[in-house]
Amino acid sequence: MHDNLHLADHETLLLSVKPSVSVLITEAILGLFEGMVLGLLVWFLGTIAADGSENIFLTAMPGFLAALVVIGAFVRRVRSARHTVFTVTSDRILALTHDKIFFHKLHTLKWNQYQECTVGRPGPLDFVSSARPLSIRYGNADSKLFLHVTPIAYASDVKHFLDKIDGLIRRNSLAEVRPFIAKPRGKRS
């Protein structure tokens, strides 16, 4: 389980997962690609600006700046993937995402907004960790509002767990809910 930063006093933590290893690998590859494209642009513009200069500092600066851009893009993507958390409590569903450069989003759904959850198709690298994305439909019965969760391990089990919690909350028997145990089938107690 991860940090209880956003929990109220009366809430019970039922599930807290980070994205799978495949998300981290994908984000690292995208960060390198993004950084190389931007780094190449910085190097090209810097080389044009320093063209004809005999100052060694000005001729070496475009390569140095391009390397910084590649490293910065890589670190930003990996950091954002590592700090994403999907949390389920007795009162709500929280999805903390870092999809902007300096900002993060905290999506909060109360259980009375929850409609259904579907498991998406695995991405190109999700076979590494058997992870799949989740899509949670929320709002009223006719709404088309979705919260998309990055690929997590045991996604189909988490989907069934969310449906089970929803059913128990609708029957006002929340005391029966136990926290989710992330173990392979047949090894849960």
Side-chain angles (χ1 to χ4, degrees), residues 20-30 125 128:
S20 68
V21 175
S22 62
V23 172
L24 189 62
I25 293 169
T26 304
E27 289 297 315
I29 291 170
L30 288 174
L125 291 177
V128 172

Side-chain angles (χ1 to χ4, degrees), residues 73-94:
F74 174 78
V75 167
R76 181 187 68 85
R77 285 282 196 155
V78 170
R79 181 185 168 275
S80 68
R82 288 185 65 223
H83 287 88
T84 299
V85 179
F86 177 67
T87 305
V88 177
T89 69
S90 56
D91 288 346
R92 56 197 173 142
I93 298 170
L94 303 164

Side-chain angles (χ1 to χ4, degrees), residues 74-131:
F74 174 78
V75 167
R76 181 187 68 85
R77 285 282 196 155
V78 170
R79 181 185 168 275
S80 68
R82 288 185 65 223
H83 287 88
T84 299
V85 179
F86 177 67
T87 305
V88 177
T89 69
S90 56
D91 288 346
R92 56 197 173 142
I93 298 170
L94 303 164
L96 180 65
T97 60
H98 292 265
D99 50 359
K100 303 291 180 201
I101 293 177
F102 299 111
F103 303 105
H104 66 273
K105 287 183 186 176
L106 179 62
H107 304 278
T108 303
L109 300 178
K110 292 287 200 177
W111 279 108
N112 60 0
Q113 295 176 305
Y114 177 86
Q115 292 296 322
E116 68 178 338
C117 181
T118 56
V119 178
R121 293 189 323 211
L125 291 177
D126 290 337
F127 68 89
V128 172
S129 58
S130 306

Side-chain angles (χ1 to χ4, degrees), residues 14 23 34 40 48 66 68 70 90 117 158 171 178:
L14 302 173
V23 172
E34 187 178 86
L40 188 62
I48 290 173
L68 281 179
V70 171
S90 56
C117 181
V158 170
R171 287 183 295 184
R178 293 183 303 174

